[in-house]
Amino acid sequence: MGSDFMLDDARMKQHRRWERYFKRNKERVRKLWRESYWRRRDRLLEIRRERERQRRRRIKALVIQHYGGRCVCCGEDIIEFLSIDHIGQDGSLQKRRHGIKGGTEFYCWIIKNNFPEGFRVLCYNCNKAIALYGICPHSAIVDIKIAEERKQILRHYSWGHPLCSCCGEANLALLSIDHINGGGSRHFKQVGWGTRFYKWVFKNNFPDGFQVLCFNCNLAKGFYGYCPHRQR
């Protein structure tokens, strides 16, 4: 007890000395603080961004684990490839009704509402295929029809044999076009999403800067800045 009291007393004396010094040298201290901040600014911002990324991963992992922890269609269990699907509903419409966006805001809404029923875990491949074609190729009895224009574009950026340049996925219904150097969202806002984008590629004679990725690899790269296949 006595040592703790002496330590607290020493801290108080040090704090008072610092207050007196600061009152006498306000401008000098503030200048040193500013200089120190700008020297470390990039590092501090990166630390803040990494903490935010870790927070989002924890929130997503909590939700994914509650609903089973793996894709109910294909069994994929890598967290970066997993998403929450609205069973038998239009997910975008449901989110608009509740006034929420996707991503972390959606996962927080699920937690806040005590993990309601009507959701399941799907990987991006299965989720996007169901959204585009109404069925996932993993459970399809017949081949899914792919627009010929889309097939040509996938063949062009895969040297004639459509497959994901990261993991080797070859099912056409699970393949997409990726902007190699990023900026896909900005570009889609300019030329349009989905079919409009593929028409733009076809009309502009297959410009450089694109590659074929499956939805898993493409969306993981977009959301996290990397694909788990490349980190193994």
Side-chain angles (χ1 to χ4, degrees):
M1 291 292 292
S3 60
D4 291 342
F5 177 78
M6 291 176 63
L7 184 61
D8 290 341
D9 188 53
R11 286 174 177 169
M12 286 299 297
K13 289 180 179 179
Q14 184 179 7
H15 181 70
R16 292 192 190 99
R17 284 197 297 270
W18 166 247
E19 284 184 330
R20 289 195 295 270
Y21 178 83
F22 180 73
K23 288 178 181 179
R24 293 195 301 268
N25 303 275
K26 283 185 180 180
E27 292 305 319
R28 183 170 184 272
V29 172
R30 285 171 177 166
K31 181 181 178 182
L32 290 172
W33 279 348
R34 286 193 296 268
E35 291 174 351
S36 175
Y37 169 76
W38 285 107
R39 281 197 306 270
R40 300 179 298 145
R41 179 176 180 273
D42 292 341
R43 175 60 180 160
L44 292 172
L45 290 177
E46 180 55 35
I47 291 173
R48 184 182 299 174
R49 284 192 290 266
E50 180 58 28
R51 286 176 178 171
E52 177 61 17
R53 285 192 289 265
Q54 292 296 334
R55 184 187 73 87
R56 293 182 179 187
R57 288 190 183 109
R58 288 194 299 271
I59 292 171
K60 178 179 178 179
L62 179 63
V63 175
I64 293 295
Q65 287 302 318
H66 177 84
Y67 289 103
R70 62 177 61 241
C71 176
V72 298
C73 181
C74 70
E76 177 63 70
D77 62 356
I78 298 176
I79 188 70
E80 288 90 344
F81 295 151
L82 300 180
S83 63
I84 294 296
D85 174 57
H86 295 69
I87 301 175
Q89 301 179 47
D90 185 332
S92 298
L93 179 60
Q94 292 298 315
K95 289 171 187 175
R96 285 197 297 271
R97 283 178 179 174
H98 294 293
I100 56 175
K101 299 178 181 178
T104 305
E105 186 177 345
F106 174 51
Y107 294 126
C108 288
W109 179 88
I110 288 178
I111 295 171
K112 183 179 179 181
N113 287 273
N114 198 29
F115 303 97
E117 296 181 356
F119 299 101
R120 62 182 175 178
V121 175
L122 288 179
C123 70
Y124 293 127
N125 275 348
C126 299
N127 205 341
K128 292 292 288 186
I130 292 172
L132 290 172
Y133 308 109
I135 191 170
C136 178
H138 296 126
S139 57
I141 300 175
V142 296
D143 291 337
I144 295 175
K145 293 183 179 180
I146 311 295
E148 188 58 37
E149 195 174 67
R150 186 185 182 108
K151 288 182 182 179
Q152 290 184 41
I153 293 171
L154 293 172
R155 289 194 193 102
H156 176 85
Y157 289 107
S158 295
W159 299 280
H161 302 283
L163 51 80
C164 175
S165 62
C166 179
C167 70
E169 174 63 63
N171 193 307
L172 289 176
L174 304 179
L175 298 180
S176 63
I177 296 297
D178 169 61
H179 294 70
I180 295 175
N181 297 316
S185 295
R186 291 192 300 273
H187 189 213
F188 290 142
K189 288 178 181 178
Q190 295 172 1
V191 303
W193 299 76
T195 304
R196 292 184 180 180
F197 168 67
Y198 285 97
K199 288 184 179 297
W200 178 90
V201 172
F202 201 82
K203 183 179 179 181
N204 285 272
N205 198 28
F206 308 97
D208 294 335
F210 299 100
Q211 65 181 347
V212 174
L213 290 179
C214 69
F215 291 117
N216 277 350
C217 298
N218 198 344
L219 291 171
K221 177 189 170 191
F223 292 147
Y224 303 102
Y226 67 90
C227 177
H229 294 133
R230 297 293 174 89
Q231 289 201 330
R232 295 187 167 189

